[in-house]
Amino acid sequence: MPHPDADLNLRLGLLNDRSGAVTATITGTSTPIVRALLSLHGFEPLDEATMVMARIDREEPHCAELTAHALRAEGVRVDITPQLREEVDTEWTWAAKRARQHSGGSPVTETGDPPNTCSSTATS
């Protein structure tokens, strides 16, 4: 996959600063690449520079954190707003406990991350 340009920036935040949905605001010239990556992680377009993720299971903060890790691995600069960071930190305990209950075992993978239940196929 081509790497995004250096001027690309992605900001993840809560929709209207409230939990329930996460927005991704994209700036820079490689927006098609980032839009494709965000789509793979369950984000849907709102307009040319904004995508949103809303899930029925309310794990948006957890999924946004996993998305940020994946995009950073692709060379995308990702900023997380303080409001979303607070939700991510709050949700970590809940998401790990939930993953342990569903798997019957350890709540983390061999990389130390919680299991990825946030792919686009898990959002319906």
Side-chain angles (χ1 to χ4, degrees), residues 7-54:
D7 72 335
L8 182 72
N9 190 51
L10 175 67
R11 184 179 61 81
L12 298 175
L14 297 173
L15 182 64
N16 299 325
D17 293 326
R18 297 177 11 199
S19 60
V22 172
T23 60
T25 306
I26 309 161
T27 57
T29 56
S30 296
T31 58
I33 294 169
V34 173
R35 289 172 61 87
L37 290 169
L38 287 167
S39 291
L40 290 173
H41 290 274
F43 282 81
E44 306 228 0
L46 268 169
D47 58 38
E48 286 299 315
T50 309
M51 296 182 75
V52 67
M53 175 182 35

Side-chain angles (χ1 to χ4, degrees), residues 37-95:
L37 290 169
L38 287 167
S39 291
L40 290 173
H41 290 274
F43 282 81
E44 306 228 0
L46 268 169
D47 58 38
E48 286 299 315
T50 309
M51 296 182 75
V52 67
M53 175 182 35
R55 297 172 49 96
I56 195 167
D57 61 10
R58 300 188 183 268
E59 291 188 10
E60 294 91 347
H62 170 69
C63 294
E65 177 77 357
L66 294 176
T67 300
H69 285 291
L71 271 68
R72 286 178 179 137
E74 292 295 331
V76 177
R77 187 175 54 240
V78 180
D79 298 319
I80 298 177
T81 65
Q83 296 85 356
L84 178 56
R85 174 56 54 203
E86 183 177 334
E87 289 292 320
V88 167
D89 293 344
T90 300
E91 288 295 318
W92 171 255
T93 305
W94 180 83

